[in-house]
Amino acid sequence: EAGVVQSPRYKIIEKKQPVAFWCNPISGHNTLYWYLQNLGQGPELLIRYENEEAVDDSQLPKDRFSAERLKGVDSTLKIQPAELGDSAVYLCASSLRGGSTYEQYFGPGTRLTVT
Amino acid sequence: QKEVEQNSGPLSVPEGAIASLNCTYSDRGSQSFFWYRQYSGKSPELIMFIYSNGDKEDGRFTAQLNKASQYVSLLIRDSQPSDSATYLCAVYIIQGAQKLVFGQGTRLTINP
């Protein structure tokens, strides 16, 4: 069974430029998460989707970040415009369902560098 | 107080010894606890989860949970150099926005 797929794996952009990350969850997983991981820290949740619905986006900086999960499968996370402080690893994870007893599995991540 | 706290390490353990990793959490109502392993430059990999008080064993790994003390630990027996990684404790927080909250991770080094 294929795991969570993310692309690109690496991205270098100049500040003020837009950038987008793509995620394909494990087949059959209804719940999709986007996390941000800074160096030396654990992942922090940005947004959670149950099928197509964003059920928790309280940590998403909505002035520059947006996300969508059309058709309840793939998801895209966008930053526009990017700032220097956005340099981090963006991780996508999925689980069979939402809730506390469903394990989350991570994709390989996208390492973003903003110069 | 952080929701999930871990000692960032580094924790250095000789090969073949037991590595003990600890984690405390603040939400007394939390019921689900996870340990992830993260190699340098890689993404977190789920290695254990525990929902009930007591011990849960899986191969060389044992997760221990004490809800009264709000404490969860991971023991790695017969440590191998390949166990050298950062270990992330994650707790499903139910106060406020229900979500998985990660500690900052403990960097473990196994010395041959």
Side-chain angles (χ1 to χ4, degrees), chain A residues 44-63:
Chain A
E44 299 174 38
L45 181 68
L46 290 173
I47 189 168
R48 172 167 69 101
Y49 281 94
E50 297 285 351
N51 298 304
E52 304 89 359
E53 183 181 0
V55 296
D56 182 1
D57 63 354
S58 57
Q59 303 303 309
L60 191 71
K62 298 182 183 63
D63 57 336

Side-chain angles (χ1 to χ4, degrees), chain B residues 21-89:
Chain B
L21 303 158
N22 305 314
C23 173
T24 59
Y25 59 95
S26 61
D27 180 3
R28 188 170 289 278
S30 294
Q31 299 292 322
S32 304
F33 308 86
F34 305 84
W35 283 98
Y36 285 81
R37 177 176 62 198
Q38 187 170 27
Y39 293 113
S40 181
K42 302 296 185 182
S43 62
E45 173 192 10
L46 179 65
I47 55 172
M48 290 284 288
F49 56 88
I50 185 167
Y51 303 142
S52 303
N53 269 333
D55 294 0
K56 179 182 178 182
E57 188 174 316
D58 183 1
R60 295 186 298 112
F61 297 96
T62 299
Q64 299 177 317
L65 174 60
N66 184 326
K67 291 183 181 178
S69 300
Q70 295 174 240
Y71 179 93
V72 58
S73 64
L74 179 70
L75 302 178
I76 307 175
R77 291 183 300 281
D78 187 23
S79 297
Q80 303 296 311
S82 60
D83 295 326
S84 297
T86 295
Y87 288 81
L88 296 162
C89 171

Side-chain angles (χ1 to χ4, degrees), chain A residues 35 37 40-43 45 59 91 99-101 103-104 106-108, chain B residues 32 34 36 38 43-44 46 49 51 88 92 97 99-100 102-104:
Chain A
Y35 286 87
Q37 186 174 25
Q41 302 297 316
L45 181 68
Q59 303 303 309
L91 294 163
S100 62
T101 57
E103 299 84 54
Q104 296 182 27
F106 284 87
Chain B
S32 304
F34 305 84
Y36 285 81
Q38 187 170 27
S43 62
L46 179 65
F49 56 88
Y51 303 142
L88 296 162
Y92 201 91
K99 60 182 180 180
L100 195 61
F102 287 80
Q104 67 179 52

Side-chain angles (χ1 to χ4, degrees), chain A residues 4-114:
Chain A
V4 178
V5 179
Q6 290 188 247
S7 68
R9 294 293 310 280
Y10 305 91
K11 190 74 176 179
I12 301 174
I13 61 171
E14 294 182 346
K15 63 182 180 182
K16 300 185 182 179
Q17 294 301 305
V19 64
F21 315 124
W22 176 81
C23 173
N24 180 254
I26 293 172
S27 178
H29 280 198
N30 287 347
T31 307
L32 183 146
Y33 314 79
W34 283 102
Y35 286 87
L36 166 71
Q37 186 174 25
N38 286 305
L39 191 65
Q41 302 297 316
E44 299 174 38
L45 181 68
L46 290 173
I47 189 168
R48 172 167 69 101
Y49 281 94
E50 297 285 351
N51 298 304
E52 304 89 359
E53 183 181 0
V55 296
D56 182 1
D57 63 354
S58 57
Q59 303 303 309
L60 191 71
K62 298 182 183 63
D63 57 336
R64 297 183 300 106
F65 287 65
S66 64
E68 61 183 11
R69 191 184 185 198
L70 301 175
K71 301 181 182 179
V73 181
D74 297 359
S75 178
T76 302
L77 178 68
K78 299 178 180 177
I79 309 175
Q80 182 170 8
E83 297 179 353
L84 294 176
D86 296 332
S87 295
V89 176
Y90 291 82
L91 294 163
C92 180
S94 71
S95 63
L96 192 62
R97 300 283 187 273
S100 62
T101 57
Y102 292 97
E103 299 84 54
Q104 296 182 27
Y105 298 92
F106 284 87
T110 298
R111 183 175 299 275
L112 174 67
T113 302
V114 182

